[in-house]
Amino acid sequence: MPTPHNTEAAATMTTAVIDHHDAPEHEEHHSSMPIDNRKLAIWTFIGSECLFFASLISTFLVYRGQSLKGPGPKDIFSVPLVTFGTAVLLFSSFFVVMALNGAQEGNRKKLITWLSLTVLAGCFFIGMQVYEFSHFYHEGMGYTTNLFSASFYTLTGFHGTHVAIGTLWLATVLKDAIKGNVPKEKALNLELAALYWHFVDVVWIIIFPVVYLMSLGS
């Protein structure tokens, strides 16, 4: 026989289940730390990537000037082109900040405009690097030509791969934004991609002077 106490408890549980299903999906995933789980994951990933690129840059510096035959950096580098590509990549960090601001304000037009510019900047940088590699290959510098070529292609190639991944990630967010699936409650999705993009830019700020400017000056 159901008692008034059991009936009241069942009603309370039913109400709780209904409230759970009616509640909107939570966009933030909190842990015991005062930071979202996904932010913690991307910062951890970026930390490991810092160690990875530090090892590649160190290897390039160790092998710098050790090649017994050419071509070397002074024979093939085109600094004006890379400088322009560097400027475009750096501006893209500003573009993604403006896009994130638009997402957080719920301004869809601002989000799509600045995010489109960011994706275009990423595509330009990738295209520049593909052209550069193709040009170097036709100038006689393959991957196994000498120590400089091997360390150069490895370092800049891995960075270019990271730029391609970041561009693809941002393009995915852009597609969702165009479909109206990035309201300000989901701005964190873009913020995570933006953190990765800023990391890629910062790495290039180190690679550009170390690989291009220092190699030409030595």
Side-chain angles (χ1 to χ4, degrees):
M1 288 289 291
T3 65
H5 176 73
N6 290 341
T7 303
E8 183 180 353
T12 302
M13 291 179 62
T14 303
T15 303
V17 171
I18 292 173
D19 289 345
H20 173 77
H21 285 287
D22 288 344
E25 183 181 359
H26 293 285
E27 292 303 326
E28 296 188 353
H29 304 269
H30 294 289
S31 64
S32 57
M33 300 180 65
I35 184 173
D36 184 272
N37 280 344
R38 289 181 290 173
K39 277 188 181 179
L40 181 62
I42 194 70
W43 278 116
T44 304
F45 173 73
I46 288 173
S48 65
E49 289 288 274
C50 286
L51 296 176
F52 175 70
F53 275 104
S55 64
L56 291 180
I57 292 171
S58 299
T59 302
F60 179 85
L61 289 174
V62 168
Y63 286 149
R64 188 163 64 97
Q66 301 297 319
S67 299
L68 299 178
K69 62 178 182 178
K74 291 182 180 179
D75 302 317
I76 57 171
F77 276 172
S78 174
V79 173
L81 174 63
V82 183
T83 302
F84 185 70
T86 301
V88 171
L89 191 63
L90 294 182
F91 271 115
S92 71
S93 272
F94 170 73
F95 297 159
V96 79
V97 167
M98 294 301 294
L100 179 59
N101 181 253
Q104 292 171 337
E105 292 178 349
N107 188 332
R108 186 162 168 259
K109 182 179 179 182
K110 183 177 181 181
L111 164 63
I112 292 174
T113 300
W114 288 105
L115 192 54
S116 298
L117 289 174
T118 310
V119 173
L120 287 175
C123 290
F124 175 85
F125 186 85
I126 295 168
M128 179 213 72
Q129 201 162 47
V130 170
Y131 169 80
E132 183 184 45
F133 283 10
S134 176
H135 174 70
F136 291 169
Y137 180 78
H138 286 98
E139 289 291 322
M141 193 180 87
Y143 183 80
T144 58
T145 300
N146 52 39
L147 285 175
F148 166 72
S149 66
S151 56
F152 168 80
Y153 281 125
T154 301
L155 174 57
T156 57
F158 269 112
H159 178 267
T161 303
H162 281 67
V163 174
I165 293 172
T167 303
L168 185 61
W169 189 354
L170 292 170
T172 303
V173 179
L174 175 61
K175 183 197 70 173
D176 290 340
I178 292 173
K179 291 182 177 179
N181 295 331
V182 188
K184 61 181 180 181
E185 293 80 10
K186 291 186 176 181
L188 181 61
N189 294 343
L190 176 57
E191 185 177 348
L192 298 175
L195 283 172
Y196 177 82
W197 193 252
H198 290 317
F199 161 72
V200 169
D201 281 5
V202 169
V203 171
W204 185 253
I205 290 174
I206 300 171
I207 290 177
F208 176 63
V210 169
V211 172
Y212 291 88
L213 302 184
M214 289 177 63
S215 296
L216 289 175
S218 62

